[in-house]
Structures are given as C-alpha cells and as structure tokens.
Amino acid sequence: MTNIHPTAIVAEGASIAASATIGPYAMVGPQVVIGEGVQIGAHAVIDGITDLAEGVQVLPFASVGLPPQDLKYKGEPTRVIVGARSIIREHATVHRGSVGGEGVTRVGADCLIMCVAHVGHDCQLEDRVILANNVMLGGHVHIGDNVFVGGGTAIHQSVRIGRQAVIGGMSGVERDVIPFGSCMGNRARLIGLNLIGLKRRGFGREAINALRAAYRGLFLGRGTFDARMALVAQDQGSQPQVAEILAFIEASSRRGLMRAGRQTDEAAEAEAA
C-alpha cells in the first residue's frame, strides 16, 4: 500500500482499508481495524482492539486504544469504537474499556475531540459531541448527542450529560446535567437552558417555551423537588422534550442530579420550602 509511510510501524494482523492513509512514524497494533478514508497522522498510536470507522481522522501524537488508567485492569480484551467521520486532534487520548464497565469505550459519529482532551475508559459519546481543548472525562461518562463541552472542563466519572446540553469552559462537573441544559462553574451548577443550541438545531418556539416553563417549574419553583417534578409531569409531561428531561431525571444515576444556582442542594431545598 503506497499510502502507508515507510517509517510507519503496522503490526501483522491489522486490517487497513485500501483508501486509508498512515503518516510518518505512526504505530498501528495487530488488532486494529481501520476503515475507508481514515487518516492517521504522524506519530499517532492506535492500539488494542480498536475500530476506526469510515473517514475518521487521528492527528499527530494522538493515541487511541491504549490500556485504561484503572489499576484493576489486567490486560482483558476490551476495546474502542470510533464512529464515522469523527476527528481526534493532536495529543488527545481515548482509552479502551475496562472489565468494570461495558468493556468498550465508544465515540459516536461526527464527533470532534480537540487537542489534549482525554476520553477515559468506558466513556460513551453519542453523535456530534464536541470536546474542546483540555477537556478531561473520567471513566464511565455518558454524553448525549450534540453536546458541547468547553475547554479545560473536568467531568467526574459516571456523570451523565443529556443531549443538546452545553458545558461552560473551566467547569468542574460532578453531577448529571439534564438534556438541553446549560451549566458552568467550579463546582458546576445549572444556569439555564442551551437556548442558542436549541435554535441552531431547529427547535420551534412552542418546544422552547415548553422547556423554559419546565425548567422554571423543576428548578426555580417552590416546594420539594419531588413535588415540583410531579407538577411538571402533570402539566407538561406530554411535550416530547419535557418528557425526555423527566425520563432522564428518573433514570438510574450514580452521581445525582445537578441543580440550579450556586447553593448547595440542601440550602436550595430549604429556601424553596
């Protein structure tokens, strides 16, 4: 194959599509599958049981599929899957899964992982996720479609980020962020809805107004959170995006739900009551 640079090291057993390109001094392990049109930059390392779908780009000095940073990991055959057309920029790292999770780290289609970002073991990124420079994802983080995470943000292991959410730069995210939410700060708190993202994605006025009313009812109303949630479900639960938020809140969580404002949850509940 003329599109593999002579200085690249490609292990026997690797499966490489004819249209893929592998740059100078790159290293590809024996269990790697590289799809059509994939571009591997100079000095990049692709190892482990790793599948790069059509059109993926891995830029210089990035690494994909190396062992998880988990002391319990003993070389088990876990893996990484990167979806079509995703881009992994310089010095970014994507670690393979662990036996303590699903055994696989997934990056969806059309994602952008910017320079020096880290995707920890067993993370699940859906489609069109953007991680800006220096974002750090602990293990087992789940991020929904169309989420933007600002530069320098750290997300605690096992946190869930709902789809269409936006995370402000330099945030420390310790709890789950609702779909369509906007949060920032150290430690991060909800500050509203991702209205710009909603408009860009074509959500109409009716849907946005329903989400605004639901947000106010859930996070800014009086009474206990359970009572507020029941009232929102009764009044607006038939609206699809509101129903999605309610289902997200009711789903199993290891980290708990991020609330609004800068107070502790206990102080916020006491004030609301």
Side-chain angles (χ1 to χ4, degrees):
M1 295 177 63
T2 58
N3 44 356
I4 297 179
H5 194 275
T7 63
I9 299 175
V10 179
E12 184 177 354
S15 175
I16 303 172
S19 59
T21 300
I22 300 176
Y25 302 101
M27 299 183 67
V28 177
Q31 296 177 293
V32 172
V33 177
I34 295 178
E36 295 290 347
V38 170
Q39 300 176 38
I40 308 297
H43 296 276
V45 177
I46 318 296
D47 202 6
I49 307 173
T50 295
D51 189 336
L52 304 182
E54 174 186 359
V56 166
Q57 299 178 47
V58 181
L59 274 72
F61 298 100
S63 66
V64 180
L66 272 66
Q69 296 177 129
D70 182 347
L71 295 176
K72 300 183 297 297
Y73 181 75
K74 304 301 179 185
E76 296 88 354
T78 56
R79 62 188 308 179
V80 170
I81 299 173
V82 180
R85 299 172 301 280
S86 285
I87 300 172
I88 300 172
R89 293 298 307 247
E90 299 89 335
H91 296 279
T93 53
V94 181
H95 287 174
R96 60 184 181 254
S98 72
V99 293
E102 297 184 12
V104 58
T105 302
R106 290 187 179 89
V107 176
D110 301 299
C111 293
L112 172 57
I113 300 174
M114 296 188 194
C115 299
V116 202
H118 172 65
V119 178
H121 61 84
D122 303 288
C123 286
Q124 310 292 309
L125 278 60
E126 305 294 340
D127 297 341
R128 298 174 298 279
V129 171
I130 298 176
L131 307 182
N133 295 356
N134 298 287
V135 167
M136 298 170 284
L137 305 185
H140 310 276
V141 170
H142 186 281
I143 301 182
D145 293 338
N146 300 310
V147 169
F148 175 82
V149 183
T153 290
I155 300 182
H156 194 286
Q157 63 186 31
S158 301
V159 161
R160 299 178 301 143
I161 310 293
R163 75 180 182 103
Q164 298 280 352
V166 60
I167 315 297
M170 303 297 292
S171 293
V173 181
E174 297 179 309
R175 301 196 177 191
D176 298 346
V177 180
I178 59 168
F180 318 108
S182 174
C183 75
M184 66 181 301
N186 186 8
R187 296 304 195 246
R189 307 292 290 179
L190 279 175
I191 59 172
L193 296 171
N194 181 16
L195 296 175
I196 294 175
L198 288 168
K199 292 173 182 177
R200 286 176 177 173
R201 293 287 173 183
F203 286 81
R205 179 176 297 178
E206 181 179 351
I208 291 174
N209 286 342
L211 286 168
R212 278 174 159 162
Y215 181 89
R216 288 193 296 269
L218 287 169
F219 298 105
L220 305 178
R222 301 185 66 82
T224 66
F225 186 78
D226 286 346
R228 300 197 302 265
M229 186 168 170
L231 187 59
V232 169
Q234 174 183 310
D235 293 345
Q236 299 158 285
S238 61
Q239 203 281 336
Q241 286 77 35
V242 175
E244 183 177 344
I245 291 176
L246 296 174
F248 181 91
I249 294 171
E250 291 175 338
S252 175
S253 171
R254 297 184 63 181
R255 296 300 305 168
L257 184 68
M258 184 181 292
R259 305 294 177 88
R262 298 185 179 277
Q263 301 165 295
T264 64
D265 289 344
E266 293 77 13
E269 290 287 0
E271 180 177 322

